[in-house]
Short mmCIF file of all heavy atoms in Angstrom, two decimals:
data_model
loop_
_atom_site.label_atom_id
_atom_site.label_comp_id
_atom_site.label_asym_id
_atom_site.label_seq_id
_atom_site.Cartn_x
_atom_site.Cartn_y
_atom_site.Cartn_z
N LYS A 100 -22.23 -19.72 -21.66
CA LYS A 100 -21.31 -20.60 -22.36
C LYS A 100 -20.55 -21.50 -21.39
O LYS A 100 -20.40 -22.71 -21.63
CB LYS A 100 -20.32 -19.77 -23.19
CG LYS A 100 -19.42 -20.61 -24.07
CD LYS A 100 -18.53 -19.74 -24.94
CE LYS A 100 -17.62 -20.60 -25.81
NZ LYS A 100 -16.73 -19.76 -26.67
N GLU A 101 -20.06 -20.91 -20.29
CA GLU A 101 -19.35 -21.72 -19.30
C GLU A 101 -20.25 -22.78 -18.70
O GLU A 101 -19.84 -23.94 -18.51
CB GLU A 101 -18.82 -20.81 -18.18
CG GLU A 101 -17.65 -19.94 -18.57
CD GLU A 101 -17.22 -19.05 -17.43
OE1 GLU A 101 -18.07 -18.29 -16.92
OE2 GLU A 101 -16.04 -19.11 -17.04
N LEU A 102 -21.49 -22.40 -18.41
CA LEU A 102 -22.43 -23.35 -17.82
C LEU A 102 -22.73 -24.49 -18.77
O LEU A 102 -22.80 -25.66 -18.36
CB LEU A 102 -23.72 -22.62 -17.44
CG LEU A 102 -24.79 -23.46 -16.73
CD1 LEU A 102 -24.24 -24.02 -15.42
CD2 LEU A 102 -26.05 -22.62 -16.48
N GLN A 103 -22.88 -24.17 -20.06
CA GLN A 103 -23.15 -25.21 -21.05
C GLN A 103 -21.98 -26.17 -21.19
O GLN A 103 -22.16 -27.39 -21.28
CB GLN A 103 -23.48 -24.56 -22.41
CG GLN A 103 -23.96 -25.52 -23.47
CD GLN A 103 -22.82 -26.07 -24.32
OE1 GLN A 103 -21.77 -25.44 -24.45
NE2 GLN A 103 -23.04 -27.25 -24.90
N GLU A 104 -20.75 -25.62 -21.17
CA GLU A 104 -19.57 -26.47 -21.29
C GLU A 104 -19.45 -27.43 -20.11
O GLU A 104 -19.11 -28.61 -20.27
CB GLU A 104 -18.31 -25.61 -21.39
CG GLU A 104 -18.18 -24.86 -22.71
CD GLU A 104 -16.96 -23.96 -22.74
OE1 GLU A 104 -16.32 -23.80 -21.67
OE2 GLU A 104 -16.66 -23.40 -23.81
N LYS A 105 -19.73 -26.94 -18.91
CA LYS A 105 -19.62 -27.79 -17.73
C LYS A 105 -20.75 -28.80 -17.65
O LYS A 105 -20.54 -29.97 -17.29
CB LYS A 105 -19.59 -26.91 -16.47
CG LYS A 105 -18.33 -26.05 -16.37
CD LYS A 105 -18.33 -25.23 -15.10
CE LYS A 105 -17.04 -24.39 -15.03
NZ LYS A 105 -15.83 -25.23 -14.94
N ALA A 106 -21.97 -28.37 -17.97
CA ALA A 106 -23.11 -29.28 -17.91
C ALA A 106 -23.06 -30.34 -19.00
O ALA A 106 -23.60 -31.43 -18.84
CB ALA A 106 -24.42 -28.50 -18.00
N SER A 107 -22.39 -30.03 -20.11
CA SER A 107 -22.30 -30.99 -21.21
C SER A 107 -21.50 -32.23 -20.84
O SER A 107 -21.64 -33.28 -21.47
CB SER A 107 -21.68 -30.32 -22.45
OG SER A 107 -20.34 -29.92 -22.18
N LYS A 108 -20.67 -32.12 -19.80
CA LYS A 108 -19.94 -33.29 -19.34
C LYS A 108 -20.87 -34.29 -18.65
O LYS A 108 -20.55 -35.47 -18.56
CB LYS A 108 -18.83 -32.85 -18.38
CG LYS A 108 -17.78 -31.95 -19.04
CD LYS A 108 -16.74 -31.50 -18.03
CE LYS A 108 -15.71 -30.57 -18.69
NZ LYS A 108 -14.71 -30.08 -17.71
N GLU A 109 -22.00 -33.79 -18.18
CA GLU A 109 -23.01 -34.66 -17.57
C GLU A 109 -24.03 -35.13 -18.59
O GLU A 109 -24.51 -36.26 -18.53
CB GLU A 109 -23.73 -33.90 -16.44
CG GLU A 109 -22.83 -33.38 -15.35
CD GLU A 109 -22.21 -34.49 -14.52
OE1 GLU A 109 -22.85 -35.56 -14.39
OE2 GLU A 109 -21.08 -34.31 -14.01
N ASP A 110 -24.36 -34.24 -19.53
CA ASP A 110 -25.34 -34.57 -20.57
C ASP A 110 -24.95 -33.82 -21.84
O ASP A 110 -25.11 -32.59 -21.92
CB ASP A 110 -26.76 -34.18 -20.12
CG ASP A 110 -27.83 -34.72 -21.06
OD1 ASP A 110 -27.55 -34.90 -22.26
OD2 ASP A 110 -28.96 -34.95 -20.58
N SER A 111 -24.44 -34.52 -22.82
CA SER A 111 -23.91 -33.88 -24.02
C SER A 111 -24.99 -33.26 -24.90
O SER A 111 -24.67 -32.50 -25.82
CB SER A 111 -23.13 -34.92 -24.86
OG SER A 111 -23.98 -36.01 -25.22
N SER A 112 -26.24 -33.51 -24.63
CA SER A 112 -27.32 -32.95 -25.45
C SER A 112 -27.68 -31.52 -25.07
O SER A 112 -28.46 -30.87 -25.77
CB SER A 112 -28.57 -33.82 -25.32
OG SER A 112 -29.10 -33.78 -23.99
N VAL A 113 -27.14 -31.00 -23.98
CA VAL A 113 -27.50 -29.68 -23.52
C VAL A 113 -26.97 -28.60 -24.46
O VAL A 113 -25.88 -28.73 -25.02
CB VAL A 113 -26.98 -29.43 -22.09
CG1 VAL A 113 -25.46 -29.34 -22.06
CG2 VAL A 113 -27.60 -28.18 -21.49
N THR A 114 -27.74 -27.56 -24.67
CA THR A 114 -27.35 -26.42 -25.50
C THR A 114 -27.52 -25.14 -24.69
O THR A 114 -27.94 -25.15 -23.53
CB THR A 114 -28.21 -26.34 -26.77
OG1 THR A 114 -29.57 -26.05 -26.42
CG2 THR A 114 -28.15 -27.65 -27.55
#
Side-chain angles (χ1 to χ4, degrees):
K100 186 176 180 180
E101 287 178 304
L102 183 60
Q103 188 268 335
E104 289 177 351
K105 293 182 180 296
S107 64
K108 297 177 181 178
E109 303 292 331
D110 191 331
S111 59
S112 65
V113 69
T114 66

